[in-house]
Amino acid sequence: MQPASIHGPTEGASVSAGGIFGDKERATENVWARQVEAEKMKKLRAIMEEQKKTTGGSTKEADRTSKSLLK
């Protein structure tokens, strides 16, 4: 635990203090972090789906071309 400065407690003092307030703060931060990560994943999935749509035809065509060249 870091000592408090002359101007008051340091940042995160309630978490580092432990006890019920520290536990609650950690839980709140964990919920927030999970929500942020879920939003990021949702956006990434949407971007991937859009890329699949735009590259789907060209990928299929490239596969057909490569197969015909290998015959």
Side-chain angles (χ1 to χ4, degrees):
M1 186 158 125
Q2 295 179 345
S5 69
I6 60 171
H7 301 290
T10 60
E11 290 182 357
S14 63
V15 174
S16 63
I20 195 163
F21 292 113
D23 292 344
K24 184 175 180 178
E25 183 70 20
R26 258 189 300 280
T28 301
E29 288 176 7
N30 288 339
V31 168
W32 172 82
R34 277 189 237 114
Q35 288 173 342
V36 169
E37 290 299 317
E39 290 173 15
K40 286 181 186 178
M41 292 300 293
K42 186 177 179 181
K43 289 177 184 178
L44 285 172
R45 284 188 185 107
I47 290 169
M48 288 176 58
E49 285 300 315
E50 187 61 32
Q51 286 179 345
K52 282 182 186 178
K53 290 177 186 175
T54 58
T55 61
S58 60
T59 303
K60 290 177 187 174
E61 178 132 356
D63 287 344
R64 274 186 264 143
T65 304
S66 64
K67 285 179 184 178
S68 66
L69 290 174
L70 294 173
K71 287 184 180 179

